[in-house]
Coordinates of all heavy atoms in Angstrom, one line a residue:
P1 N 159.5 95.3 97.0 CA 160.7 94.8 97.6 C 160.8 95.2 99.1 O 160.2 96.1 99.5 CB 161.8 95.5 96.7 CG 161.2 95.9 95.5 CD 159.7 96.1 95.9
L2 N 161.8 94.5 99.8 CA 162.0 94.7 101.1 C 162.4 96.2 101.4 O 161.9 96.8 102.4 CB 163.0 93.8 101.7 CG 163.5 93.9 103.2 CD1 162.1 93.7 104.1 CD2 164.6 93.0 103.6
E3 N 163.3 96.8 100.6 CA 163.7 98.2 100.7 C 162.5 99.1 100.7 O 162.5 100.0 101.5 CB 164.8 98.5 99.7 CG 166.0 97.8 99.8 CD 165.9 96.4 99.3 OE1 164.9 96.1 98.7 OE2 167.0 95.7 99.4
L4 N 161.6 98.9 99.7 CA 160.5 99.9 99.7 C 159.5 99.6 100.9 O 158.9 100.7 101.4 CB 159.7 99.5 98.4 CG 160.4 100.0 97.1 CD1 159.6 99.7 95.9 CD2 160.6 101.5 97.1
R5 N 159.3 98.5 101.4 CA 158.5 98.2 102.5 C 159.1 98.9 103.7 O 158.3 99.5 104.5 CB 158.3 96.7 102.8 CG 157.6 96.0 101.6 CD 157.0 94.6 102.1 NE 158.0 93.7 102.6 CZ 158.6 92.9 101.9 NH1 158.4 92.7 100.6 NH2 159.6 92.1 102.4
N6 N 160.4 98.8 103.9 CA 161.0 99.4 105.0 C 160.9 100.9 104.9 O 160.8 101.6 105.9 CB 162.5 99.0 105.1 CG 162.7 97.6 105.5 OD1 161.8 97.0 106.2 ND2 163.8 97.0 105.1
L7 N 161.1 101.5 103.7 CA 161.0 102.9 103.4 C 159.5 103.4 103.7 O 159.3 104.4 104.4 CB 161.3 103.3 102.0 CG 161.3 104.8 101.6 CD1 162.1 105.6 102.5 CD2 161.6 104.9 100.1
S8 N 158.5 102.6 103.3 CA 157.2 102.9 103.7 C 156.9 102.9 105.1 O 156.2 103.8 105.6 CB 156.2 101.9 103.0 OG 156.4 102.0 101.5
K9 N 157.5 101.9 105.8 CA 157.3 101.9 107.3 C 157.9 103.1 107.9 O 157.3 103.6 108.8 CB 157.9 100.6 107.8 CG 157.7 100.4 109.2 CD 158.3 99.0 109.7 CE 158.0 98.6 111.1 NZ 158.7 97.3 111.4
S10 N 159.1 103.5 107.5 CA 159.8 104.6 108.1 C 159.0 105.9 107.8 O 158.9 106.7 108.7 CB 161.2 104.7 107.5 OG 162.0 103.6 107.7
I11 N 158.5 106.1 106.6 CA 157.7 107.3 106.4 C 156.4 107.3 107.2 O 156.0 108.4 107.8 CB 157.4 107.4 104.9 CG1 158.6 107.6 104.0 CG2 156.3 108.5 104.6 CD1 158.3 107.6 102.5
E12 N 155.8 106.2 107.4 CA 154.5 106.2 108.2 C 154.9 106.4 109.7 O 154.2 107.1 110.4 CB 153.9 104.7 108.0 CG 152.6 104.7 108.6 CD 151.8 103.4 108.2 OE1 152.0 102.9 107.2 OE2 151.0 102.9 109.0
A13 N 156.0 105.9 110.1 CA 156.4 106.1 111.5 C 156.7 107.6 111.7 O 156.5 108.2 112.8 CB 157.6 105.3 111.8
M14 N 157.4 108.2 110.7 CA 157.8 109.7 110.8 C 156.4 110.5 110.9 O 156.3 111.4 111.6 CB 158.6 110.0 109.5 CG 159.0 111.5 109.5 SD 159.8 112.0 108.0 CE 158.5 111.8 106.8
S15 N 155.5 110.1 110.0 CA 154.2 110.8 110.0 C 153.5 110.8 111.3 O 153.0 111.7 111.8 CB 153.3 110.3 108.9 OG 152.0 110.9 108.9
D16 N 153.4 109.5 111.9 CA 152.8 109.4 113.2 C 153.5 110.2 114.2 O 153.0 110.8 115.2 CB 152.8 108.0 113.6 CG 152.0 107.2 112.7 OD1 151.1 107.7 112.1 OD2 152.1 105.9 112.6
S17 N 154.9 110.2 114.2 CA 155.7 110.9 115.2 C 155.5 112.4 115.2 O 155.2 113.1 116.1 CB 157.2 110.6 115.0 OG 158.0 111.4 115.9
I18 N 155.4 113.0 113.9 CA 155.1 114.4 113.7 C 153.8 114.8 114.2 O 153.5 115.8 114.8 CB 155.3 114.7 112.2 CG1 156.8 114.6 111.8 CG2 154.8 116.2 111.9 CD1 157.0 114.9 110.3
H19 N 152.8 113.9 113.9 CA 151.4 114.1 114.3 C 151.4 114.1 115.9 O 150.7 115.0 116.5 CB 150.5 113.0 113.8 CG 149.1 113.1 114.2 ND1 148.6 112.4 115.4 CD2 148.1 113.7 113.7 CE1 147.3 112.7 115.5 NE2 146.9 113.6 114.5
D20 N 152.1 113.2 116.5 CA 152.0 113.2 118.0 C 152.7 114.5 118.5 O 152.2 115.0 119.5 CB 152.8 112.0 118.4 CG 152.1 110.6 118.2 OD1 150.9 110.7 117.9 OD2 152.7 109.6 118.1
K21 N 153.8 114.9 117.9 CA 154.5 116.1 118.4 C 153.6 117.3 118.2 O 153.5 118.2 119.1 CB 155.7 116.3 117.6 CG 156.9 115.4 118.0 CD 157.3 115.4 119.4 CE 158.4 114.4 119.7 NZ 158.9 114.5 121.1
I22 N 152.9 117.3 117.1 CA 152.0 118.6 116.8 C 150.8 118.6 117.8 O 150.4 119.6 118.3 CB 151.5 118.5 115.4 CG1 152.7 118.8 114.4 CG2 150.3 119.6 115.2 CD1 152.2 118.7 113.0
E23 N 150.3 117.3 118.0 CA 149.2 117.2 119.0 C 149.6 117.6 120.4 O 148.9 118.3 121.1 CB 148.7 115.8 119.0 CG 147.4 115.6 119.8 CD 146.8 114.2 119.7 OE1 147.6 113.3 119.4 OE2 145.7 114.0 119.9
E24 N 150.9 117.2 120.8 CA 151.4 117.5 122.1 C 151.6 119.1 122.2 O 151.2 119.7 123.2 CB 152.7 116.9 122.3 CG 153.4 117.2 123.6 CD 154.8 116.5 123.8 OE1 155.1 115.7 122.9 OE2 155.4 116.8 124.7
I25 N 152.1 119.7 121.1 CA 152.3 121.2 121.1 C 151.0 121.8 121.2 O 150.8 122.9 121.9 CB 153.1 121.6 119.9 CG1 154.5 121.1 119.9 CG2 153.0 123.2 119.7 CD1 155.3 121.3 118.6
E26 N 149.9 121.4 120.5 CA 148.6 122.0 120.6 C 148.0 121.9 121.9 O 147.3 122.8 122.4 CB 147.7 121.4 119.5 CG 148.0 121.6 118.0 CD 147.1 120.9 117.0 OE1 146.4 119.9 117.5 OE2 147.2 121.2 115.9
N27 N 148.2 120.7 122.5 CA 147.6 120.6 123.9 C 148.4 121.6 124.9 O 147.7 122.2 125.7 CB 147.9 119.1 124.4 CG 147.0 118.2 123.7 OD1 145.9 118.5 123.2 ND2 147.4 116.9 123.6
K28 N 149.7 121.7 124.7 CA 150.4 122.7 125.5 C 150.0 124.1 125.2 O 149.8 125.0 126.1 CB 151.9 122.5 125.2 CG 152.6 121.3 125.8 CD 154.0 121.3 125.6 CE 154.6 120.0 126.3 NZ 156.1 119.9 126.0
N29 N 149.6 124.5 123.9 CA 149.2 125.7 123.6 C 147.8 126.0 124.3 O 147.5 127.1 124.8 CB 149.1 125.9 122.1 CG 150.4 126.1 121.5 OD1 151.4 126.5 122.1 ND2 150.6 125.8 120.2
K30 N 146.9 125.0 124.2 CA 145.6 125.1 124.8 C 145.8 125.4 126.3 O 145.0 126.2 126.9 CB 144.8 123.8 124.5 CG 144.4 123.7 123.1 CD 143.6 122.4 122.9 CE 143.1 122.2 121.5 NZ 142.3 121.0 121.3
K31 N 146.6 124.5 126.9 CA 146.9 124.8 128.4 C 147.4 126.1 128.7 O 147.0 126.8 129.7 CB 147.9 123.6 128.9 CG 148.0 123.7 130.4 CD 149.0 122.5 130.8 CE 149.2 122.6 132.3 NZ 150.1 121.4 132.7
L32 N 148.4 126.5 127.8 CA 148.9 127.9 128.1 C 147.9 129.0 127.9 O 147.9 130.0 128.6 CB 150.1 128.2 127.1 CG 150.8 129.4 127.2 CD1 151.4 129.6 128.6 CD2 151.9 129.5 126.0
K33 N 147.0 128.9 126.8 CA 146.0 129.9 126.6 C 145.0 129.9 127.8 O 144.6 131.0 128.2 CB 145.2 129.5 125.3 CG 146.0 129.8 124.0 CD 145.2 129.5 122.8 CE 146.0 129.7 121.5 NZ 145.2 129.4 120.2
K34 N 144.7 128.7 128.3 CA 143.9 128.7 129.4 C 144.5 129.3 130.7 O 143.8 130.1 131.4 CB 143.5 127.1 129.8 CG 142.6 127.0 130.9 CD 142.3 125.6 131.2 CE 141.3 125.4 132.3 NZ 141.0 124.0 132.6
E35 N 145.8 129.1 130.9 CA 146.5 129.7 132.0 C 146.5 131.2 131.8 O 146.4 132.0 132.8 CB 147.9 129.2 132.1 CG 147.9 127.7 132.6 CD 149.3 127.1 132.6 OE1 150.3 127.9 132.2 OE2 149.5 126.0 133.1
I36 N 146.7 131.7 130.5 CA 146.8 133.1 130.3 C 145.4 133.8 130.5 O 145.3 134.8 131.2 CB 147.2 133.4 128.8 CG1 148.7 133.0 128.6 CG2 147.1 134.8 128.4 CD1 149.3 133.1 127.3
A37 N 144.3 133.1 130.1 CA 143.0 133.6 130.3 C 142.7 133.6 131.8 O 142.1 134.6 132.2 CB 142.0 132.7 129.6
E38 N 143.1 132.6 132.5 CA 142.9 132.6 134.0 C 143.7 133.7 134.7 O 143.1 134.4 135.6 CB 143.2 131.3 134.6 CG 142.3 130.1 134.1 CD 142.9 128.7 134.7 OE1 143.9 128.7 135.2 OE2 142.1 127.8 134.6
R39 N 145.0 133.9 134.2 CA 145.7 134.9 134.8 C 145.1 136.4 134.4 O 145.1 137.3 135.3 CB 147.2 134.9 134.2 CG 148.1 136.0 134.8 CD 149.6 135.7 134.3 NE 150.0 134.4 134.8 CZ 151.2 133.9 134.5 NH1 152.1 134.6 133.8 NH2 151.6 132.8 135.1
K40 N 144.6 136.5 133.3 CA 144.0 137.8 132.9 C 142.8 138.0 133.7 O 142.5 139.2 134.2 CB 143.6 137.8 131.4 CG 144.8 138.0 130.5 CD 144.4 138.1 129.0 CE 145.6 138.3 128.1 NZ 145.2 138.4 126.8
Q41 N 142.0 136.9 133.9 CA 140.9 137.1 134.8 C 141.2 137.5 136.3 O 140.6 138.4 136.8 CB 140.1 135.8 134.8 CG 138.8 135.8 135.7 CD 138.0 134.5 135.6 OE1 138.4 133.6 134.9 NE2 136.9 134.5 136.2
I42 N 142.3 136.8 136.7 CA 142.8 137.2 138.1 C 143.2 138.6 138.1 O 143.0 139.3 139.1 CB 143.8 136.2 138.6 CG1 143.4 134.8 138.7 CG2 144.6 136.7 139.8 CD1 144.4 133.8 139.0
E43 N 144.0 139.1 137.1 CA 144.5 140.4 137.1 C 143.3 141.4 137.0 O 143.3 142.4 137.6 CB 145.4 140.6 135.8 CG 146.7 139.9 136.0 CD 147.5 140.0 134.7 OE1 147.1 140.5 133.7 OE2 148.7 139.6 134.8
A44 N 142.3 141.0 136.2 CA 141.1 141.9 136.1 C 140.4 142.0 137.5 O 140.0 143.1 137.9 CB 140.2 141.4 135.1
E45 N 140.3 140.9 138.2 CA 139.7 140.9 139.5 C 140.5 141.7 140.5 O 140.0 142.5 141.3 CB 139.5 139.5 140.0 CG 138.5 138.6 139.2 CD 138.4 137.2 139.7 OE1 139.3 136.8 140.5 OE2 137.5 136.4 139.2

């Protein structure tokens, strides 16, 4: 039925949105770790 198709579409969109947010957070974490590593290297120097 149309209601189930709409519900399926909403769940899939929610899953994609959560995946994009997690990927964005992981990229920010990688960037932050890189900055921290660079800062530690500068501090060590």
Side-chain angles (χ1 to χ4, degrees):
L2 178 62
E3 292 78 6
L4 287 178
R5 294 201 301 270
N6 290 336
L7 181 59
S8 300
K9 185 177 180 180
S10 298
I11 291 178
E12 191 170 331
M14 179 187 67
S15 175
D16 294 338
S17 177
I18 294 175
H19 178 267
D20 293 340
K21 290 295 183 181
I22 292 177
E23 189 175 21
E24 181 181 353
I25 292 174
E26 289 177 348
N27 291 333
K28 289 183 179 180
N29 286 338
K30 289 180 181 179
K31 184 178 180 180
L32 181 60
K33 289 180 180 180
K34 182 179 179 181
E35 292 178 353
I36 292 174
E38 292 176 351
R39 182 173 296 179
K40 286 183 178 180
Q41 183 178 357
I42 293 174
E43 290 177 353
E45 292 175 356

